[in-house]
Amino acid sequence: MAKLNVNGRTIDVAVEDDTPLLWVLREQIGLTGTKYGCGVAACGACTVHVDGVAVRSCATPVSAFTEAQKIVTIEGLAPAGTQHPLQKAWVELDVPQCGFCQSGMLMAAAALLAQTPKPTEDQIRAEITNICRCGTYNRVLAGIKRAAEGGPATSG
Amino acid sequence: MTTESTLSRRGLMATATAAAGAFTLGFHVPLTRSAVAQGAAPAIPPEVNAWVVIRPDDTVVIRIARSEMGQGTLTGLAQLVAEELECDWAKVTTEYPTPGQNLARRRVWGNFSTGGSRGIRESQDYVRKGGAAARMMLVQAAATAWNVPAAECSAANSVITHTPTGRTTTYGRVAEAAGRLTPPENVPLKDPRAWKIAGKSVARLDTVEKTNGSQVYGMDLTLPGMLNAAVRACPIFGGKVRSFDAAAVQGMPGVKRVVPVGDNAVAVVADTWWRAKKALDALPIVWDEGPNANASSEAVAAWLKEGLDAPEAVVGNRAGDARAAITGAAKRIEAVYAYPHQNHACMEVMNATALWTADRCEVWTPTQNGEAALAATAAASGLPATQCDVHKIHLGGGFGRRGAVHDWVTQVVLIAKQMPGTPIKMIWSREEDMLQGRFHPVTQCKLVGGLDAQGNLVGLTMRISGQSIVAGTFPQNIRDGRDPVVFQGLNASGGEADIGYTIPNLLIDHAMRNPSVPPGFWRGVNLNQNAIYLECFIDELAHAAGKDPLAFRRALMTNHPKHLAVLNAVAERIGWGTPAPAGRFRGLAQTHGFGSYVAACAEVSVSNDGKLSIHRIVAATDCGHAVNPQQIEAQIEGSFVYGLGAALHQEITVKGGRVEQENFDTYPSLMLAEMPAVESIIITSGGFWGGVGEPTIAVAAPAVMNAIFAATGKRVRSLPLKHADLRRA
């Protein structure tokens, strides 16, 4: 049994301690926006925020988290009915292709902007290490720049 | 990047988001058991024709037969229908008909196959006619209601106007009557020059859902009462399951069943996938490793090397007498290139959900070919296809893996069949996805060229040795030992993948060598390695002739104006012939594939310690007609990610009969840090329709490899480039 704070709600989940946070989010809580890509923290499709910091949830057991830690998923990146500046930029630039990596991409980008509101291109290139196989990188880059120009972005 | 958005429906989507807090746009995915039971065509409202449904509120539902996997075909095909329909683009939504419905309606939606960059180019004619016919029926229905000749009425933006009186009505009001009319026989189409929706950089129809986690992929599907399955097939190609000890894991949390899957795999079914996977990892399985247990990439390479000089080969393209011309040439140049196995590595691993009962089998899966998935479902279910159906779900990447072979669909049905009435969602682990791939074929190529005293190319032989995708997937299509797609980009003129050079004496042939690693159609297919072989060797010949690589090519291309036009476009844009920025060097490549002409010029630098940086690529595509330029640009950019990832990093090796790379840590992709700036030039010379999802991949590697030579004087002839020592000699 674990108690988690996810997108502002406190949730009890009955799982084995070694269950990765990713699968708790997807299978116990029903938040399927966070994706399974590799299971070894190599691709970033599973990225969520824990106290505002990007964390790859596929390789972190649920037992590593306490109720005091605020976990935010793509579904909670912006308050209901609103869009995070990155989500706006993503729509304006038609960033996603297949879209499967984009939840993680957006969460990684949001954590970057929360920490570094005006990143340089080199910083973006160094910090965004999520894999996109369709090849949206240049629009991801443009989307982060556009969101950064639009004012300070806040992490959900 | 194109930012044109005059026809954007972003405003609409944002409004829908804000108002409803949920996403009503997008695909209808029948999730309930009652929907499953219905199975047949959608209930109400009635369709105008197979392609167009118009609801009373004027919402336009356009049916899309091809699969959306990121390439934008959903939006592009909808644009083509909407263009002829003369509907309000802001009111357009889309849905997939099922392959079962297509079967029941005598394939009214044509081919579902989504590969070979064919989505738009092979369906553009009939989908446009579908839109035009629907428009004609809507206008006729209004004219009949008004008791006026249809010729006095016009349609625009979903509104029909009777011109003499100014009366108007909307599509939504006449759609039901229109659907009862006999479809017109003669359906003229617009000149593309008159397009208002097609040809424009409209926003994709499927973006918002992909930015907030609400897009449902196959992996995300949930059905009432569903259980989850993790599966493991014998990691050695051709091996089988000898035994497994179900009792060892039966008591683990959540485990429901441990079942065989065919003769080569085992699945654990549990309440959650994670628990199924954990039990599967703990399950003792004894494999019968079969005949390929000693297969290795080294042995394959040696076998292919032997094929480079083997006496027997199938000729793909021949002119004059190449061997004699080379023998008599002033200068002889020879090189051997090699291209490895590679995995598609879709971001979303293979997965499917199945519900089997004694009289019906339904599957939900991301697939590039719903009809092939239906055939696999029927075969595995033991039921006729008429009692089966497949519900297509947006793909988290396809790249060819989800098209020709539906091995994962077979598996899920075989599992579900052992648990009648219970929906089973099967998800492969990434490791399973890597080990059980259908891999980019492995080949080597020996090229020999002869130059005369003036440095003109008088003869060229090109021997490809290696794997045939067709032999491994559709062996019935091999005729007289010939694989019809192995010569992609090297064929004589007149097809969709022709060589762009006129060489007086030419011999291109193939010595087929099929190792145990199963091949698959991998985005770009055989054009990938063929363009590397030819375009890098042409560069070698130019260098040997002491000529500029652009000038050397141009001299061979006078009979190939469309190939030449894209090459000239990139050369002009990058400033070929003028100095590159300090420390940077340029390389060119061009080819023809999937109906389109493509070229690229790469600008790279190589540091003293051999580190490659790809700074800028200019790419040109002549695809005849451009349906959505900003999405073509996205495909061009994506092609460089896919092509450069393959060129720089990706290689599947086999040892002891099994793949050695099991995840992204040992099978790296291109990363944002490595991504060059890409400038796209889209040429629409008209008169043909070319694909855009794949051809540019083929010029990514050779343009960079030729630039590396310019930078270092080193010819890299074996992929991936990570093995090459690029330090200056």
Side-chain angles (χ1 to χ4, degrees), chain A residues 16 18 20 23 26-27 35-38 87 91-92 94 97-99 125 129 133-134 137-139, chain B residues 1 10 204 207 210-211 217 219-220 273 275 278 344-345 430 630 638 650 663 670-672 675:
Chain A
E16 291 75 61
D18 63 351
W23 293 100
R26 289 181 56 84
E27 301 200 294
K35 304 304 184 196
Y36 166 69
C38 69
Q87 290 170 315
V91 172
E92 285 167 10
D94 252 353
Q97 290 188 29
C98 90
R125 286 176 176 274
T129 56
R133 294 287 292 145
C134 295
Y137 292 134
N138 284 351
R139 289 192 185 190
Chain B
M1 179 186 299
R10 287 166 195 144
R204 289 176 67 120
T207 292
K210 292 174 175 175
T211 64
Y217 297 87
M219 184 188 290
D220 306 328
W273 185 79
R275 284 171 165 167
K278 209 174 145 187
H344 300 80
R430 173 59 64 188
Q630 67 104 343
Q650 294 178 338
N663 211 314
L670 197 81
M671 305 300 280
L672 177 55
M675 182 65 191

Side-chain angles (χ1 to χ4, degrees), chain B residues 340-702:
Chain B
H341 281 123
Q342 290 164 333
N343 190 300
H344 300 80
C346 305
M347 284 309 299
E348 184 189 21
V349 290
M350 299 304 113
N351 69 83
T353 302
L355 172 58
W356 189 94
T357 59
D359 58 1
R360 187 149 185 88
C361 185
E362 305 268 334
V363 166
W364 293 256
T365 193
T367 170
Q368 291 175 241
N369 188 344
E371 293 183 298
L374 177 61
T377 299
S381 70
L383 295 166
T386 50
Q387 287 170 240
C388 301
D389 210 348
V390 171
H391 305 279
K392 299 196 299 179
I393 302 178
H394 268 15
L395 290 73
F399 313 123
R401 179 63 181 91
R402 292 182 154 110
V405 178
H406 284 77
D407 45 338
W408 77 95
V409 171
T410 300
Q411 285 185 336
V412 76
V413 172
L414 291 176
I415 298 167
K417 201 176 169 183
Q418 297 175 72
M419 303 186 74
T422 301
I424 303 293
K425 176 162 75 176
M426 181 200 73
I427 305 173
W428 283 10
S429 66
R430 173 59 64 188
E431 289 77 11
E432 192 71 5
D433 201 270
M434 290 296 297
L435 296 176
Q436 301 299 332
R438 292 293 180 272
F439 301 88
H440 192 299
V442 64
T443 57
Q444 295 179 16
C445 185
K446 182 183 214 174
L447 300 105
V448 184
L451 299 170
D452 68 15
Q454 289 74 46
N456 300 306
L457 180 60
V458 294
L460 175 71
T461 62
M462 185 169 178
R463 161 64 63 86
I464 301 163
S465 171
Q467 199 161 15
S468 157
I469 304 170
V470 174
T473 50
F474 304 113
Q476 66 276 20
N477 292 343
I478 298 286
R479 299 277 155 76
D480 301 324
R482 180 188 165 89
D483 173 346
V485 296
V486 82
F487 300 107
Q488 242 177 344
L490 305 173
N491 296 301
S493 296
E496 64 162 51
D498 304 338
I499 193 167
Y501 304 113
T502 299
I503 300 164
N505 300 288
L506 176 70
L507 176 63
I508 303 175
D509 57 13
H510 176 219
M512 196 186 292
R513 299 286 184 275
N514 292 318
S516 57
V517 179
F521 295 90
W522 193 100
R523 188 178 180 190
V525 194
N526 293 306
L527 197 65
N528 296 335
Q529 71 273 15
N530 288 347
I532 291 171
Y533 301 154
L534 183 61
E535 285 302 287
C536 290
F537 192 65
I538 288 283
D539 232 64
E540 295 202 46
L541 292 170
H543 184 70
K547 295 186 178 178
D548 171 74
L550 176 63
F552 187 80
R553 283 179 170 83
R554 280 176 171 164
L556 301 169
M557 294 176 76
T558 49
N559 297 329
H560 308 272
K562 288 186 189 292
H563 291 81
L564 182 59
V566 288
L567 182 67
N568 283 338
V570 298
E572 186 182 331
R573 173 73 67 86
I574 203 125
W576 189 269
T578 66
R584 296 190 188 181
F585 299 86
R586 293 171 179 152
L588 288 167
Q590 63 82 23
T591 194
H592 178 222
F594 308 96
S596 287
Y597 302 85
V598 294
C601 186
E603 219 168 70
V604 313
S605 63
V606 179
S607 68
N608 288 335
D609 59 354
K611 186 179 180 306
L612 170 70
S613 299
I614 307 166
H615 301 279
R616 176 191 181 202
I617 291 180
V618 172
T621 294
D622 181 357
C623 49
H625 296 283
V627 175
N628 188 326
Q630 67 104 343
Q631 280 303 302
I632 295 173
E633 288 174 2
Q635 286 305 296
I636 291 171
E637 288 175 13
S639 292
F640 285 108
V641 176
Y642 212 72
L644 293 177
L648 298 182
H649 304 304
Q650 294 178 338
E651 174 183 40
I652 289 291
T653 55
V654 172
K655 192 174 180 183
R658 58 178 281 163
V659 165
E660 294 187 281
Q661 296 75 20
E662 298 195 17
N663 211 314
F664 285 121
D665 51 356
T666 49
Y667 188 76
S669 284
L670 197 81
M671 305 300 280
L672 177 55
E674 304 168 295
M675 182 65 191
V678 175
E679 297 165 45
S680 301
I681 303 166
I682 299 170
I683 298 170
T684 54
S685 64
F688 68 98
W689 292 70
V692 298
E694 295 170 271
T696 298
I697 293 170
V699 288

Side-chain angles (χ1 to χ4, degrees), chain B residues 267-393:
Chain B
V268 174
V269 180
D271 55 354
T272 69
W273 185 79
W274 177 254
R275 284 171 165 167
K277 182 199 182 289
K278 209 174 145 187
L280 182 65
D281 287 344
L283 179 69
I285 307 172
V286 179
W287 304 110
D288 168 3
E289 298 190 343
N292 302 315
N294 295 319
S296 72
S297 291
E298 288 77 14
V300 170
W303 190 29
L304 266 53
K305 186 165 181 286
E306 170 272 324
L308 294 173
D309 297 305
E312 278 190 33
V314 174
V315 173
N317 195 352
R318 175 160 44 195
D321 187 340
R323 288 194 181 111
I326 292 165
T327 303
K331 198 169 185 181
R332 182 182 189 278
I333 297 95
E334 178 181 319
V336 173
Y337 284 78
Y339 194 98
H341 281 123
Q342 290 164 333
N343 190 300
H344 300 80
C346 305
M347 284 309 299
E348 184 189 21
V349 290
M350 299 304 113
N351 69 83
T353 302
L355 172 58
W356 189 94
T357 59
D359 58 1
R360 187 149 185 88
C361 185
E362 305 268 334
V363 166
W364 293 256
T365 193
T367 170
Q368 291 175 241
N369 188 344
E371 293 183 298
L374 177 61
T377 299
S381 70
L383 295 166
T386 50
Q387 287 170 240
C388 301
D389 210 348
V390 171
H391 305 279
K392 299 196 299 179
I393 302 178

Side-chain angles (χ1 to χ4, degrees), chain B residues 5-221:
Chain B
S5 60
T6 49
L7 293 162
S8 167
R9 59 199 296 281
R10 287 166 195 144
L12 171 79
M13 299 185 95
T15 308
T17 309
F23 298 87
T24 52
L25 299 166
F27 288 114
H28 169 67
V29 179
L31 297 178
T32 64
R33 299 292 281 275
S34 59
V36 174
Q38 285 174 14
I44 49 165
E47 61 186 34
V48 179
N49 63 20
W51 300 99
V52 176
V53 174
I54 295 174
R55 299 197 180 117
D57 68 356
D58 286 329
T59 302
V60 178
V61 182
I62 295 176
R63 302 244 177 84
I64 306 292
R66 312 279 176 157
S67 299
E68 178 58 51
M69 50 186 161
Q71 82 281 40
T73 205
L74 173 88
T75 304
L77 289 168
Q79 284 176 266
L80 289 170
V81 175
E83 179 66 54
E84 296 291 343
L85 182 58
E86 296 286 2
C87 68
D88 181 351
W89 178 249
K91 295 193 172 79
V92 168
T93 184
T94 57
E95 69 178 19
Y96 288 141
T98 69
Q101 291 163 353
N102 202 34
L103 184 68
R105 297 180 65 174
R106 299 172 185 223
R107 298 191 88 211
V108 66
W109 291 287
N111 192 352
F112 276 34
S113 173
T114 314
S117 300
R118 286 191 297 262
I120 283 179
R121 66 190 170 111
E122 286 194 0
S123 50
Q124 52 83 18
D125 182 65
Y126 57 78
V127 303
R128 288 193 291 153
K129 283 178 177 158
R135 183 199 71 241
M136 292 165 74
M137 293 160 77
L138 290 158
V139 169
Q140 182 60 57
T144 303
W146 289 328
N147 199 22
V148 300
E152 291 181 359
C153 302
S154 64
N157 226 26
S158 294
V159 174
I160 302 162
T161 302
H162 179 232
T163 312
T165 61
R167 275 181 294 185
T168 64
T169 189
T170 66
Y171 280 6
R173 288 191 208 130
V174 298
E176 197 178 340
R180 288 194 294 269
L181 296 174
T182 305
E185 279 177 15
N186 196 4
V187 183
L189 295 178
K190 285 184 187 176
D191 185 323
R193 283 171 294 193
W195 283 350
K196 295 173 294 193
I197 299 170
K200 308 297 179 196
S201 289
V202 302
R204 289 176 67 120
L205 297 171
D206 55 348
T207 292
V208 172
E209 302 89 321
K210 292 174 175 175
T211 64
N212 58 24
S214 66
Q215 176 70 57
V216 174
Y217 297 87
M219 184 188 290
D220 306 328
L221 196 75

